[in-house]
Amino acid sequence: MKTSRFSDSQIMAILKQAKSGMPVPELCRENGMSSPSFYKWRAKFGGMDTSMIKRMKELEDKNRRLKKMYAEERLKAELRKEALKGKW
């Protein structure tokens, strides 16, 4: 997955600036980002603080690893099932 060029604290600072009344187009131009990125961040991180964002990213990474482990185990189970049926 593509990583952001902005850190969690930078994202939070940008969202706080917008909340304080700075116009979004000006904010995006100042920080060198697109408006869709800003709105995506606002939808995803709207009511969070930096520690909550960090925790959410940790959980997403853990979830990604668990899904990968599950897919690998399912593949192994399917291979065992085919081998027992004598398809090899």
Side-chain angles (χ1 to χ4, degrees):
M1 185 194 309
K2 184 178 176 184
T3 59
S4 177
R5 351 179 261 156
F6 297 96
S7 68
D8 297 341
S9 58
Q10 289 174 323
I11 291 171
M12 290 307 300
I14 291 169
L15 292 175
K16 284 180 184 176
Q17 286 178 344
K19 197 177 250 187
S20 69
M22 187 172 195
V24 174
E26 183 181 326
L27 185 64
C28 292
R29 189 171 39 255
E30 183 180 294
N31 291 296
M33 58 184 227
S34 65
S35 293
S37 293
F38 170 79
Y39 290 114
K40 183 176 71 172
W41 290 343
R42 189 172 72 178
K44 190 171 184 181
F45 306 122
M48 297 183 184
D49 61 355
T50 307
S51 63
M52 290 172 73
I53 291 174
K54 185 177 180 182
R55 178 70 178 143
M56 184 182 72
K57 288 189 177 187
E58 288 172 359
L59 290 173
E60 286 174 346
D61 288 340
K62 184 176 181 179
N63 192 25
R64 191 176 306 115
R65 285 193 313 271
L66 290 172
K67 284 182 179 181
K68 184 178 178 183
M69 287 172 34
Y70 175 75
E72 289 172 353
E73 290 302 316
R74 288 289 300 162
L75 182 62
K76 288 178 186 176
E78 290 294 322
L79 289 174
R80 282 188 214 111
K81 194 182 287 185
E82 286 180 13
L84 290 175
K85 286 183 179 179
K87 289 187 176 182
W88 285 28

